[in-house]
Every structure is written in C-alpha cells, then in structure tokens.
Amino acid sequence: MSILKTENLTYTYSQGTPFEKTAVKNVNLEIEEGELVGVMGHTGSGKSTLIQHFNGLLKPTSGRILLEGKDIWENKTEIRNVRFKVGLVFQYPEYQLFEETVFKDIAFGPKNMGLDKDEIERRVRETAENLGLPQECLERSPFELSGGQKRRVAIAGVMAMEPKILILDEPTAGLDPHGRDVILGQIKQYHKKTGNTVLIVSHSMEDIAKYADKILVMNKSELFCYDTTVNVFSRSKEIEAMGLDVPQITRVFNALEQRGLNFGKQVYTVEYAKELIMKKLRERGKVTRC
Amino acid sequence: MLKDITIGQFFPGESLLHRLDPRFKIIITCIFVVMLFIGDSVWGLVIGSVFTFGAIALSKIPNRLFVKSIKPIFPFLIFTAVLNLVFISDGDVLFKWRFIKVTEGGIETSVYMLVRIVLLIAGSSLLTYTTSPIALTDALEQLMSPLKKLKFPVHELSMMMTIALRFIPTLIEETDKIMSAQKARGAEIDSGSLRARVKNLIPILIPLFVSSFRRAEELATAMECRCYNGGDGRTRLRQLKSGGRDFAALAVTCAFMGAIIAVNLML
Ligand SMILES: Nc1ncnc2c1ncn2[C@@H]1O[C@H](COP(=O)(O)OP(=O)(O)O)[C@@H](O)[C@H]1O
Ligand SMILES: [Mg+2]
C-alpha cells in the first residue's frame, strides 16, 4: 500500500472572486514508503500548493488525499495528527523562528506533540547534531545565527517531530552553492538513516538528479509526470520545452547523441557520465587504466 | 482564511465608477455618508438605498463581494439592533418581559440603524473596490493640499498611507504563511482558553514583527537609493484629470442629497 495517495486532487484559490485561480488540477499520484522524491516545476506551477495538501494545511476543492490508505479529511479533529505524521518545511523557513533559544525553537513541534521532557531533549540534540548545529549553539538566540544556520534550525524543528513523511519546500533557495550541498547532503543522510519518505521541492535539476529516486514534475497546475529519475530524464526534450532546465550533463549527452555518438543510456549525473565515457574509451582501446 | 478579508481591497475594472476621478469619488463618498445620516425617514433611506444599489450596479462588481464585506460586521449589526430594540422606549409597547420592553419606536430605530450601517459599509467599500490604493492616496494628497499652507505634512502623511496600504496585502499574506508554518509544527491557533489563545499568538506575532521591521528597513534603503527626500519638487507620473463625467456624477449625488433634504423638510 502506498503511504500517500491523491485522487483527482483539485484546488482553487479565492474561489468565487475575480482572482479565482486553479493552482492544482486533477492530480492523481501514489508515493511509496521510503522514497526520496524530487518535486519539480516552474515557478507558479502549483508545487507549493500541492504539498500543502499533504499535511492538511489546504483542504482540496475537490478530490481526496489518502495517508496510509485513510482519507485525511474524514475526521477533522484528527488533522493535527496528520501534521505530525507529515512534516512540512516551508520555503524560507527561517522566517518562522520565534523562540528565545535555538533549543526551544526546535522543541516547539515535539512539545506540541505532547512528548515527555527526556524524549524532547533527545530529539532536539540528535536532530541538531544530524544537521551539523553545534551543541553550544542550542542555547543561543536563533536571531543571532547566520542565514544558513537559521535555515538548518528551522528544518530541525520539523525533523525533530520525526514525521513519517518529510516535505521540504525549496530548502536550498537563496543559499550559496556550498550551503546548498551541505543541506541537501544532510537531508539525504536523514533519509538513509531513518528510511522515511522525503519529498524535496526544488527547481535545481542538478540537485534533484543527484539525490532523488523519483521525480514529480508539475506543469501549469497539472501533474506532468511522476516516475523514476531515469525515465523522467529520458523525456528531457519535453522538460526543456516546458522551460525547465535539465542537468548540464544531460544536455551534453543529448548534444553528443545529435552528433552521432550514442551511449544508449540516459545520463543525468557526472559520475555516471564519467563511467560511461571511460567504458567507451576502453572499448576502443584508447585508455587502458583510469 | 485571512485572504477572505475584502474591505479595503481593490478590484481592477473598466466600469464608469472605476474611471471616475478619485478626488470626485472621495467627495461623493463623503456626501453619501452625510446623506445616509440625515435621511431620517423611510423615504430618506429608500433614496439612500437607490443611490447605493445604483452605484453598485454601475461598478460591475459581483454582489457577493458586498455580502462578504458585510459578513465580518454581522455580530456588530446584531448587537446594535438588540441594543436599540431594548433601550429605546417610545411609542406603543408591543412586548414586555420582566424589565425588557420592546416598543414600536425601538423597532423602527433598530431597523433604520441596520439599513443605514449596511448601506454605509456597502457604499464606502465601493470607493476602495473601484479605486487603486495609489490613486486613492494621490487624490487625498491633492484634496488636502490646502493644508500645506498651515505647515501640515500632507505629502508625508500620504506617503505613509500609500506605504501602509501597499503593505496590507503583503502582511496578510505573510501572516497566512507564518500561521501555516506554525500549524505545520502542530501549533493550535484557534482553540483553548483565552489565556492559551493569547499564548498561541506568540509564535505568529514575533516572526511577523521581525519581518515587518526587516521590510521597513529594506524599503527605507531602497527609497534612499533612489534619492527620495520628501515631497518638495516631486512631479507625478500620472496626473489626475477630471472631466465631464466627474462633474455629472457629482451633480447626480447632489441631486440625491437635495431629494433627501426635501423629503426631510416636507415630512
Ligand atoms: N495564497 C494564494 N492566493 C491566491 N493565489 C495563490 C496563492 N498561493 C499561490 N497562488 C497562485 O497559485 C499558483 C501556484 O502557486 P504555487 O503553488 O505557489 O506554485 P509554485 O510553488 O510551483 O511556485 C500561482 O499562480 C500563484 O499565483
Ligand atoms: Mg513555491
């Protein structure tokens, strides 16, 4: 059974006013437990709107969302528990920090869950460590930290709730390349360690190609496709036509193919590209060792 | 949701009302308010209603938006009506229970008051529905410009208003976002005792204050970078122009006002 499933999910903002806007149109998808899913799409394609349905922040205009097979809106009083099972980190989450100390801020979610003191302490310290926040930083005010650290505190605040599904909306937006790699690496680490389902919204193809098992592409409020990374990038022409970037290395390989050098494989990471090229060269006897 | 607040919102359009000079619209709205309060009889209110509904029809703005703008003040309406009903005692007593007396005069006053407030809200919402905030503050600045002679900081005031109006939607959006983010962490926003509720506001208010200060600072820097130094010698990109239809609209409004005064004098 899939952990999360949507049935004909549709959402319209400001229904019944001149500003009416359907941001998600008839989306059907099934996400399996333990997957790391990349969510891609143009700005305004409905990614943020879609993911806010998964933890019940938005209620579908029509359609259903099933969490572990149960309609999350079946019992309205249970919606808070859905939010503990499906953790959502908003875009620019550092703007939601409010406590006096980093420790208290990370503890906000777990405390709302009604956990006891020792458990909260364990979770806060563990999550902070996983995200590379030093212990002494826990007693400082979150407002004194650097941008990248604030971001990690905010992510920790949701991770510490240990949700079955962790969703991050553009977790790397506005960070420098190094900060981006660090955070994505930590998220990947979290995924590996806990085996929980993780969804990362991003429009950096490079990042998604590197980390995700499966990719969900939104286009103009509709689900364009949801498939394994290889299959999605085999449609790189269509994706480029949508105005989205495919990884640079995929473009290189597409261009090579046009010039008659066909590898017969879909390439989207540099490591894999290197492997293929070395193999080809070896076949031709140009290189004997790497 | 907060998004549903429509008072003060602008709905772009091309109707006659949208095209009127905002200075005239402000004056007309002032006359309209006075009109409602001196119209002290059934006929006065009928004339006021005709004026309001006529204007609403001309604006081509969907009626349900007006219903929406009145919804939030519904409790206040009920409260006013009940107060008038219970405390005004003249005319025949229609109903009595312990110390509560409902009289004919009470019913009359509370119905009048209800109609008046509803018309007032609907009519004055029309001003902001059909006028962009920028046009509105420009117009106010010009209408108040005689006060400059008295050293009244008209330009500064209107700049402050422009900025405030400009940031209302941004702040609403921001509040919405922060609320969602805290709800995602299990914050309970609208439940519990009064004390708990006040405490629950902290996770929302603090980030909101922090970001408002940040925005204010950014805006100030951006304005300084463009050498903003007050209103002296500033010219406008868009000049307000009045034409025949503005004077016609004003004349129609005055005619309604005249009708109400006439009705008052005759009765
Ligand atoms: N709170 C809102 N009210 C009205 N329209 C909105 C709101 N949030 C998003 N939209 C609109 O819905 C569409 C999808 O937005 P969003 O889900 O934020 O896209 P993405 O995250 O892919 O950039 C956009 O056209 C946007 O303008
Ligand atoms: Mg978004």
Side-chain angles (χ1 to χ4, degrees), chain B residues 7 38-39 99-100 116 157 168 209 230:
Chain B
I7 294 180
I38 63 170
F99 61 93
I100 296 174
R116 223 179 249 155
L157 205 67
I168 288 174
F209 273 117

Coordinates of all heavy atoms in Angstrom, one line a residue, chain B residues 7 38-39 99-100 116 157 168 209 230:
Chain B
I7 N -12.5 44.1 2.7 CA -12.6 45.5 3.0 C -11.3 46.1 2.6 O -10.2 45.6 3.0 CB -13.0 45.8 4.4 CG1 -14.4 45.3 4.7 CG2 -12.8 47.3 4.7 CD1 -14.8 45.6 6.1
I38 N -28.5 62.0 7.5 CA -29.6 63.0 7.6 C -30.9 62.4 7.1 O -32.0 62.9 7.5 CB -29.3 64.4 7.0 CG1 -29.2 64.2 5.5 CG2 -28.1 65.0 7.6 CD1 -29.1 65.5 4.8
G39 N -30.9 61.3 6.3 CA -32.1 60.7 5.8 C -32.7 60.0 7.0 O -32.4 58.8 7.3
F99 N -37.9 43.2 32.8 CA -37.6 44.7 32.6 C -37.4 45.0 31.1 O -37.1 46.1 30.7 CB -36.3 45.0 33.4 CG -35.1 44.2 33.0 CD1 -34.3 44.7 32.0 CD2 -34.9 43.0 33.5 CE1 -33.1 44.0 31.6 CE2 -33.8 42.3 33.1 CZ -32.9 42.8 32.2
I100 N -37.5 44.0 30.2 CA -37.3 44.3 28.8 C -38.6 44.7 28.1 O -39.7 44.0 28.2 CB -36.8 43.0 28.1 CG1 -35.4 42.7 28.7 CG2 -36.7 43.2 26.6 CD1 -34.8 41.4 28.2
R116 N -29.0 51.5 7.6 CA -28.0 52.6 7.4 C -26.6 52.0 7.5 O -25.8 52.3 6.6 CB -28.2 53.5 8.6 CG -28.1 54.9 8.1 CD -28.3 55.8 9.3 NE -29.5 56.5 9.2 CZ -30.2 57.0 10.3 NH1 -29.7 56.8 11.5 NH2 -31.3 57.7 10.1
L157 N 2.2 62.4 5.1 CA 1.1 61.6 5.5 C 0.6 60.7 4.4 O 0.3 59.5 4.6 CB 0.0 62.6 5.9 CG -1.0 62.0 6.9 CD1 -0.3 61.8 8.3 CD2 -2.2 62.9 7.1
I168 N -0.5 46.2 3.3 CA -1.6 45.4 3.9 C -1.7 44.0 3.3 O -1.6 43.0 4.0 CB -3.0 46.1 3.8 CG1 -2.9 47.3 4.8 CG2 -4.1 45.2 4.2 CD1 -4.2 48.1 4.8
F209 N 6.5 40.5 13.5 CA 7.2 41.8 13.8 C 8.6 41.8 13.2 O 9.0 42.8 12.6 CB 7.3 41.9 15.4 CG 6.1 42.6 16.0 CD1 5.3 41.9 16.9 CD2 5.8 43.9 15.6 CE1 4.2 42.5 17.4 CE2 4.6 44.5 16.2 CZ 3.8 43.8 17.1
G230 N 11.5 63.5 0.3 CA 10.3 64.2 0.7 C 9.6 64.7 -0.6 O 10.0 64.4 -1.7

